[in-house]
């Protein structure tokens, strides 16, 4: 496959800026000094909640994409694990803006988290002390540093044997680190099979989600995506559903059978860092002869207009940092 311009960019040389300032409970500390006790509860027990938020450069100004939605999910994650966040949504919003501004990066990627910093001695946290950390890192530098496959223009997925966590036993709606052990193993299984990403099924054998992406398929001009029972409510998922509606494309949020993946005309995954990510192969089956399909392209074009600030209607999704 020919290399896309973005891939060439990733492989390119150039400054990799990994330093910067991290906001921790109201104070900025140098990235190198933003460290945690190895015996802290969140490291030992996985009780860290997080968000990843993307920003776009719009005519020289930095806009955070759907900041309100990310903060709502962050606050919801805290509630689901009974963590008492020491900041209000408004305070967090200001902190995000300040962090972006102080770091002065062209395409910042916001890594936001909250954890119990004190030493654990039990499964329950030792006390109520919660640290919120917000960093704005250079997205391109990160991808380059890790030679990430997340820049592949299209991908091959594998329906894996490990099932998605069940809401009876894990808070699947929370973006909590402990849930991502399952995602890590899913990714290993997919890679072992030569694929880029994993598709996990739910306990009933229907499609749930990828390791950290939501799944969409298109058949006969209609889009289908699994309902929210088993999965994280993706901000990109929500955006795509709305944009598709504007384009007059029907979207069904429903149970999606595994077999429908192989019969799909088009398939794509969605997530903050990859936006609309076309899938060209599921297991051994090529989708749309290995080409990105028409509807995926239309959605992508529309989405790109929104994140370039060209859509009045969706200005509400962009929070300028100054
Ligand atoms: N599912 C899971 C499990 C995820 O971790 C993510 C990434 N946050 C997504 C779906 C996609 O969500 P979003 O579009 O908000 O990035």
């Amino acid at each position: 496959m020919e290399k896309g311009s973005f891939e060439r960019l990733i492989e390119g040389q150039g400054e990799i800026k990994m330093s910067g300032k991290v906001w921790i409970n109201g104070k900025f500390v140098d990235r190198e000094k933003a460290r945690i006790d190895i015996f802290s509860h969140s490291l030992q027990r996985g009780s860290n909640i997080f968000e990843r938020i993307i920003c776009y450069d719009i005519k020289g100004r930095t806009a955070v994409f759907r900041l309100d939605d990310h903060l709502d999910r962050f606050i919801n994650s805290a509630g689901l694990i009974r963590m008492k966040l020491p900041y209000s949504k408004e305070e967090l919003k200001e902190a995000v803006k300040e962090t972006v501004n102080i770091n002065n990066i062209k395409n910042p990627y916001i890594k936001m988290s909250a954890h119990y910093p004190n030493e654990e001695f039990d499964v329950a946290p030792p006390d109520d002390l919660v640290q919120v950390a917000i960093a704005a890192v250079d997205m391109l530098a990160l991808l380059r540093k890790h030679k990430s496959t997340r820049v592949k223009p299209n991908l091959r997925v594998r329906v894996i044997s490990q099932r998605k966590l069940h809401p009876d036993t894990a808070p699947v709606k929370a973006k909590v680190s402990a849930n991502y052990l399952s995602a890590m193993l899913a990714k290993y299984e997919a890679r072992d099979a030569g694929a880029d990403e994993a598709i996990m099924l739910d306990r009933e054998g229907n499609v749930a989600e990828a390791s950290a992406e939501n799944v969409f398929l298109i058949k006969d001009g209609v889009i289908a995506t699994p309902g929210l029972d088993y999965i994280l409510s993706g901000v990109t998922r929500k955006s795509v559903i709305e944009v598709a509606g504007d384009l007059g494309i029907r979207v069904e949020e429903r149970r999606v059978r595994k077999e429908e993946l192989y019969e799909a005309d088009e398939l794509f995954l969605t997530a903050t860092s990859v936006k609309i990510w076309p899938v060209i192969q599921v297991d051994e089956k090529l989708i749309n002869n290995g080409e990105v399909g028409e509807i995926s392209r239309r959605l992508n074009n529309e989405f790109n207009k929104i994140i370039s600030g060209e859509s009045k209607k969706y200005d509400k999704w962009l929070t300028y940092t100054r």
Side-chain angles (χ1 to χ4, degrees), residues 188-201:
Y188 282 165
E189 193 181 333
R191 282 187 184 162
D192 287 349
D196 306 304
E197 253 306 329
I199 301 278
M200 276 182 278
L201 306 178

Side-chain angles (χ1 to χ4, degrees), residues 12 40 63 139 178 200 231 239 277 289 294:
S40 66
M139 177 74 165
M200 276 182 278
I231 62 172
S239 308
W277 208 14
N289 296 318
E294 188 50 42

Side-chain angles (χ1 to χ4, degrees), residues 47-66:
S47 58
N48 175 71
I49 60 160
F50 64 103
E51 280 295 318
R52 298 289 179 259
I53 313 173
I54 201 156
C55 300
Y56 297 104
D57 179 81
I58 300 180
K59 298 188 186 91
R61 289 173 75 200
T62 301
V64 188
F65 186 66
R66 302 200 74 162

Side-chain angles (χ1 to χ4, degrees), residues 50-52 70 73 150 164 172 175 180 183 209-214 231-237 270-273:
F50 64 103
E51 280 295 318
R52 298 289 179 259
H70 281 287
R73 193 169 65 186
R150 299 186 81 72
K164 173 75 196 175
V172 295
K175 235 177 129 54
Y180 286 80
E209 62 186 333
S211 66
E213 299 85 16
N214 294 117
I231 62 172
L232 190 82
S233 175
V235 171
T236 324
R237 175 186 182 278
T270 61
T272 293
S273 57

Side-chain angles (χ1 to χ4, degrees), residues 108-261:
Y109 185 57
I110 298 161
K111 290 183 156 202
M112 176 168 187
S113 55
H115 58 265
Y116 295 107
N118 284 335
E119 180 172 359
E120 60 90 31
F121 55 88
D122 193 0
V123 285
D127 52 38
D128 277 347
L129 183 65
V130 172
Q131 253 180 3
V132 177
I134 307 172
V137 298
D138 185 335
M139 177 74 165
L140 192 57
L142 257 190
L143 293 168
R144 266 189 195 159
K145 182 179 171 198
H146 298 287
K147 299 207 178 322
S148 176
T149 55
R150 299 186 81 72
V151 295
K152 283 185 89 168
N154 43 47
L155 67 158
R156 295 174 158 74
V157 298
R158 187 93 190 172
V159 181
I160 60 157
S161 63
Q162 181 191 255
R163 294 282 162 108
K164 173 75 196 175
L165 294 172
H166 193 275
D168 281 351
T169 49
V172 295
K173 296 267 176 299
K175 235 177 129 54
V176 56
S177 298
N179 285 354
Y180 286 80
L181 184 66
S182 154
M184 181 184 93
L185 295 173
K187 194 114 178 177
Y188 282 165
E189 193 181 333
R191 282 187 184 162
D192 287 349
D196 306 304
E197 253 306 329
I199 301 278
M200 276 182 278
L201 306 178
D202 64 26
R203 198 187 278 171
E204 281 79 47
N206 297 305
V207 176
E209 62 186 333
S211 66
E213 299 85 16
N214 294 117
V215 180
F216 285 79
L217 67 82
I218 301 162
K219 182 72 182 171
D220 298 331
V222 177
I223 299 179
T225 192
L228 288 174
D229 293 349
Y230 282 86
I231 62 172
L232 190 82
S233 175
V235 171
T236 324
R237 175 186 182 278
K238 203 158 69 163
S239 308
V240 164
I241 291 173
E242 212 170 322
V243 170
D246 288 350
L247 293 174
I249 306 166
R250 202 165 101 213
V251 183
E252 296 173 350
E253 292 180 68
R254 60 166 170 83
R255 213 167 287 153
V256 174
R257 286 177 301 106
K258 172 186 163 184
E259 292 70 29
E260 291 183 75
L261 295 175

Side-chain angles (χ1 to χ4, degrees), residues 73-85:
R73 193 169 65 186
F74 189 66
I75 290 164
N76 191 47
S77 294
L80 286 169
I81 69 158
R82 303 205 211 172
M83 173 187 267
K84 294 187 191 81
L85 283 177

